[in-house]
């Protein structure tokens, strides 16, 4: 397992994760797998997490928008995409689902090396590379927002682009919670295909997709 960077973004420091909001709250997840050579994405997410004021709704929206833009700028590195979502009635049901998705992702890593929670940033010592092949980076976005958050099922690059744009277009006042996790956080590390199969069973394997779709990477110039 590799270290992960995590931006845990929730306004305020206490009380429930989600406030009363509207009658319905959408909880959405978008997961993007990139070629390990997309080192700039790790740097971007690290920078965004450290700069964001995560104690405010504006800070939540900032990190959501900037993370989406960071991914949209590098479609040539995308290798798979996955979306899921649900619209729930009331904050308790929505918070329960959000927490389930969060826990599923956090269980996949041994150590969180960068955390920004309620405006407080913490960095832990980073794990070193295990010497295995450098192949993939995984970025996961979790969002809770007032009203439905409708995302297309990923069947190719266009659907993943649409899903990311829809998340980025969620208005500031609708955002209730955002969490961005990326693995590994250390730019000297990448996940091998074996790590993907072991830690992300809902993502496509050699036998075929399971809820996600392999995307044929666009040609990346040598030395990129």
């Amino acid at each position: 397992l590799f270290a992960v960077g995590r931006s845990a973004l929730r306004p305020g420091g206490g009380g429930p994760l989600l406030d009363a909001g509207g009658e319905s709250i959408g909880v959405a997840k978008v997961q993007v797998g990139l070629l390990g050579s997309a080192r700039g994405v790790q740097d971007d997410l690290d920078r965004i997490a450290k700069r964001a004021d995560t104690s405010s709704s504006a800070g939540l929206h900032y990190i959501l928008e900037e993370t989406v833009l960071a991914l949209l700028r590098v479609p040539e590195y995308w290798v798979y995409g996955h979306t899921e979502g649900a619209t729930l009635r009331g904050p308790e049901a929505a918070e329960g689902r959000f927490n389930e998705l969060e826990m599923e992702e956090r269980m996949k890593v041994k150590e969180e090396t960068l955390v920004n929670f309620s405006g407080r940033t913490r960095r832990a010592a980073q794990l070193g590379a295990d010497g295995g092949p450098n192949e993939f980076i995984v970025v996961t976005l979790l969002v809770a927002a007032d009203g439905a958050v409708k995302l297309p099922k990923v069947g190719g690059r266009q659907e993943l682009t649409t899903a990311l744009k829809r998340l980025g277009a969620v208005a500031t006042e609708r955002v209730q919670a955002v969490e961005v996790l990326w693995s590994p956080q250390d730019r000297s590390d990448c996940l091998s295909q074996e790590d993907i199969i072991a830690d992300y069973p809902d993502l496509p394997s050699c036998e075929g997709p399971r809820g996600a779709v392999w995307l044929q990477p666009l040609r990346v110039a040598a030395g990129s």
Side-chain angles (χ1 to χ4, degrees), residues 75-182:
E76 66 272 19
Y77 292 104
W78 298 351
V79 290
Y80 67 71
H82 171 63
T83 62
E84 59 181 274
T87 301
L88 301 106
R89 295 187 64 82
E92 291 184 359
E95 180 170 353
R97 180 55 181 157
F98 188 95
N99 288 339
E100 286 177 5
L101 292 172
E102 174 192 30
M103 188 58 61
E104 287 174 5
E105 296 306 316
R106 293 181 64 190
M107 285 173 61
K108 297 170 184 175
V109 299
K110 184 178 298 183
E111 181 179 8
E112 294 172 346
T113 60
L114 177 63
V115 176
N116 185 339
F117 181 81
S118 296
R120 297 187 296 275
T121 302
R122 172 177 60 82
R123 180 183 290 279
Q126 296 179 345
L127 300 176
D130 67 353
N134 292 339
E135 297 183 28
F136 301 110
I137 300 166
V138 177
V139 180
T140 304
L141 295 89
L142 305 178
V143 178
D146 288 337
V149 181
K150 297 182 179 180
L151 301 177
K153 181 178 180 180
V154 176
R157 195 174 304 277
Q158 184 57 51
E159 289 84 0
L160 182 54
T161 299
T162 298
L164 288 169
K165 287 182 176 179
R166 286 185 184 176
L167 278 189
V170 173
T172 302
E173 61 271 16
R174 290 181 56 201
V175 177
Q176 293 253 12
V178 176
E179 185 144 3
V180 181
L181 304 98
W182 63 104

Side-chain angles (χ1 to χ4, degrees), residues 19-63:
D19 62 29
E23 291 186 1
S24 62
I25 297 175
V27 177
K29 169 182 171 180
V30 173
Q31 205 157 46
V32 182
L34 305 101
L35 295 174
S37 50
R39 306 292 188 187
V41 172
Q42 291 166 300
D43 293 340
D44 287 343
L45 295 176
D46 191 270
R47 171 185 55 80
I48 293 165
K50 289 186 288 187
R51 289 184 180 179
D53 174 12
T54 60
S55 63
S56 68
S57 294
L60 297 182
H61 189 266
Y62 166 82
I63 201 165

